[in-house]
Amino acid sequence: MDKILVTGGLGFIGSHTVVELQNEGYEVVVIDNLSNSSIEVLDGITAITGKTPTFEKLDLREKLSVEDFFKKHTNIKGVIHFAASKAVGESVNEPLLYYENNISTLVYILKELKKLPETSFIFSSSCTVYGQADELPITENAPVKQAESPYGNTKQIGEEIISDTCKVTPSLKAIALRYFNPVGSHESAKIGELPIGVPQNLVPFITQTAIGLREQLSVFGDDYPTPDGTCIRDYIHVVDLAKAHVIALGRLLKNKHKSNYETFNLGTGTGSSVLEVINSFEKVSGKKLNYKIVGRREGDVISAYADTTKANNELGWKAQLTLDDAMRSAWKWEQVVRSR
Ligand code: WQD
């Protein structure tokens, strides 16, 4: 089977995607600089699939290292590019770190792919490119809005760089996958989300509060124009998301694409409020969660959930796992990690 490079392959979504690629029989090479992951994730992947991907610790900001990598691995048929910084709040305080790490590295990789006879490229994008969409659910034709953060801007710029490159590089086929909110963990609890420091995202903060690592969850506002006053998001199980990457890659490898640059929204198509996520967690864990309502968080959109028609019809992919499945797996993972 084809050899696939996964950058950021020891990260949360990357590691789950490596598992699904190996399940499909692909040969996988992982690049990761371990800035937001740990080498033990390799053991988790091996424990699930019985195969250890080739691993190279490499910082994609080092242009010469990227060139050397592609000299060494000459028969790469596809690349799934996760490696990037992704903390919205941090990006506001450290914009140059985000433009260097998320943009320069993309350019270096694309320059190497341009040299290859043919390559399939999957880009990790985000629903954040839509900002607060005017219409819900959000389709791929929704206008891209002024980014709310440098992180979101790097995803918008990244998509433009890829689109512009594909226009003049017939040998390069690319798909940008716009994730909604990835949550949960592999059912084995061998891999999962490992936020470093205080979690920014809702679900890891919930599980860390429930296990006693955090005192209390702050719910950022209940005065929004939504049924229960809290913000609505489309929480997609990370395993469904990982499977979508393998399907999108296959679309390109088998030349089933309609143009050499396409975008797809990846969500469940259902919106859930913060309080609904909390209720789901309490139901599946049997734990009462300690939380309080506080003021709104700067930059939060009121509501965002996907119109998944295009991914359903074109990719033949539909999310199978539920919010309860995601909460159950996230809680199981939290308990395993804290028992180590
Ligand atoms: C979800 C909801 C918060 C924490 C971000 C990025 C997006 C993607 C996913 C990278 C919101 C509320 C949260 C807390 C809370 N990241 N919340 N208390 O902001 O929708 O998306 O992460 O790709 O690009 O923008 O996710 O989990 O931070 O917040 O009340 O302690 O939970 O206000 O309504 P978000 P989130």
Side-chain angles (χ1 to χ4, degrees):
M1 274 286 254
D2 293 336
K3 187 172 178 180
I4 306 299
L5 165 62
V6 181
T7 73
L10 297 191
F12 172 40
I13 305 170
S15 56
H16 285 82
T17 303
V18 169
V19 164
E20 299 307 328
L21 285 167
Q22 291 190 320
N23 289 345
E24 278 297 295
Y26 287 104
E27 180 191 349
V28 181
V29 180
V30 169
I31 285 178
D32 205 301
N33 69 359
L34 302 180
S35 64
N36 192 23
S37 58
S38 69
I39 195 68
E40 285 78 21
V41 174
L42 265 185
D43 300 333
I45 292 169
T46 306
I48 296 169
T49 64
K51 291 172 278 187
T52 303
T54 304
F55 173 70
E56 302 237 4
K57 185 175 185 294
L58 193 154
D59 192 323
L60 296 171
R61 288 172 294 190
E62 293 160 16
K63 189 169 182 289
L64 294 178
S65 303
V66 176
E67 290 171 359
D68 290 346
F69 175 88
F70 281 92
K71 284 186 187 120
K72 179 177 170 187
H73 294 274
T74 51
N75 56 342
I76 284 175
K77 292 285 183 280
V79 177
I80 305 184
H81 182 48
F82 292 104
S85 301
K86 62 158 195 166
V88 174
E90 181 188 51
S91 78
V92 174
N93 301 320
E94 300 277 358
L96 289 179
L97 186 150
Y98 274 68
Y99 289 116
E100 181 186 44
N101 195 36
N102 294 8
I103 303 295
S104 307
T105 56
L106 173 64
V107 170
Y108 298 157
I109 288 174
L110 290 175
K111 290 181 83 167
E112 295 308 310
L113 300 189
K114 265 183 78 72
K115 299 173 188 171
L116 302 179
E118 188 184 28
T119 319
S120 298
F121 184 70
I122 304 292
F123 179 64
S124 171
S125 190
S126 168
C127 66
T128 204
V129 303
Y130 299 116
Q132 177 54 69
D134 301 323
E135 285 180 42
L136 293 169
I138 303 172
T139 71
E140 287 81 356
N141 302 321
V144 168
K145 288 205 174 164
Q146 172 68 33
E148 304 258 346
S149 68
Y151 160 76
N153 204 21
T154 66
K155 291 303 179 184
Q156 291 179 6
I157 296 167
E159 288 193 5
E160 288 167 7
I161 290 171
I162 298 162
S163 172
D164 290 345
T165 307
C166 287
K167 281 180 189 136
V168 293
T169 316
S171 63
L172 180 61
K173 306 168 281 184
I175 288 176
L177 297 176
R178 293 171 175 171
Y179 313 153
F180 281 69
N181 287 58
V183 291
S185 302
H186 190 268
E187 62 186 1
S188 65
K190 302 282 188 198
I191 54 176
E193 194 166 8
L194 275 172
I196 292 173
V198 178
Q200 299 304 303
N201 295 132
L202 177 63
V203 172
F205 207 111
I206 286 177
T207 57
Q208 288 192 13
T209 302
I211 203 129
L213 258 181
R214 306 288 158 206
E215 186 58 38
Q216 183 179 56
L217 170 75
S218 296
V219 172
F220 297 137
D222 69 348
D223 58 351
Y224 285 96
T226 62
D228 66 18
T230 62
C231 293
I232 292 170
R233 297 288 185 275
D234 186 334
Y235 296 94
I236 175 171
H237 196 296
V238 66
V239 171
D240 277 328
L241 192 61
K243 289 178 175 173
H245 285 73
V246 179
I247 292 169
L249 178 69
R251 175 183 176 87
L252 296 181
L253 291 173
K254 296 176 196 131
N255 293 310
K256 296 203 180 316
H257 53 290
K258 290 189 171 156
S259 81
N260 73 331
Y261 176 67
E262 297 174 305
T263 59
F264 291 94
N265 286 345
L266 295 183
T268 65
T270 302
S272 301
S273 74
V274 176
L275 291 179
E276 285 171 328
V277 173
I278 292 171
N279 293 340
S280 167
F281 176 80
E282 290 183 332
K283 180 176 64 174
V284 301
S285 67
K287 304 267 292 181
K288 187 89 186 79
L289 191 74
N290 178 14
Y291 69 90
K292 69 176 178 211
I293 307 292
V294 299
R296 296 181 174 190
R297 179 173 69 174
E298 188 67 30
D300 272 336
V301 298
I302 300 166
S303 181
Y305 52 96
D307 179 318
T308 59
T309 309
K310 188 180 175 189
N312 301 156
N313 295 347
E314 296 282 338
L315 296 180
W317 168 89
K318 186 168 175 53
Q320 302 299 312
L321 297 165
T322 65
L323 181 62
D324 287 355
D325 294 328
M327 292 304 108
R328 191 175 300 112
S329 61
W331 178 229
K332 183 179 173 188
W333 165 251
E334 186 68 61
Q335 291 171 291
V336 164
V337 166
R338 301 305 160 203
S339 66
R340 283 179 180 172

